[in-house]
Amino acid sequence: MLDVARILATSMHISERKKVQSKLVDHHYMICRSSCSKEWIYEDFRREFLAALLWNLLTPLAIHVNGIVTQGKKWGDRFPILDRCISAIEDWEALSLRV
């Protein structure tokens, strides 16, 4: 799920992600159902996907904070990768995830 979430949240522009995200997630679900040993129920699959979207926010943020701390970089005005991550989190309502 991390790979799918990472592709959608960090590697695609928001407008492009919105065009393909549902199909990509559904396609990945069907692949997992047919080829994984785990018995996937869609709601469990979706929950793991939402958690992966939230997790993906941490990596670019940690890399940037590390650059500030170790290399004296400045905190920027905009962070396109964080904007993309936050947009995906909002679109999928990942903050409503209950574990």
Side-chain angles (χ1 to χ4, degrees):
M1 293 317 303
L2 283 172
D3 291 340
V4 174
R6 185 171 297 119
I7 289 168
L8 288 173
T10 66
S11 301
M12 302 179 80
H13 290 286
I14 294 169
S15 60
E16 292 302 313
R17 175 186 48 80
K18 288 182 178 197
K19 291 177 189 175
V20 300
Q21 64 186 0
S22 292
K23 287 182 182 179
L24 182 62
V25 170
D26 289 347
H27 182 73
H28 190 67
Y29 171 67
M30 295 308 293
I31 290 171
C32 287
R33 266 191 75 158
S34 65
S35 62
C36 295
S37 59
K38 179 177 179 177
E39 189 74 27
W40 281 103
I41 298 169
Y42 186 76
E43 282 308 309
D44 294 336
F45 179 86
R46 187 174 193 282
R47 202 170 16 259
E48 287 197 26
F49 173 68
L50 297 180
L53 285 175
L54 294 169
W55 181 256
N56 277 322
L57 181 61
L58 297 176
T59 302
L61 185 59
I63 289 169
H64 189 71
V65 169
N66 184 56
I68 290 170
V69 172
T70 62
Q71 300 169 16
K73 291 183 178 179
K74 302 245 185 250
W75 190 262
D77 293 334
R78 292 203 62 236
F79 301 99
I81 195 166
L82 294 179
D83 292 342
R84 291 191 299 268
C85 289
I86 291 168
S87 176
I89 288 167
E90 289 172 344
D91 287 349
W92 286 89
E93 298 178 353
L95 290 176
S96 66
L97 178 66
R98 299 288 180 247
V99 196

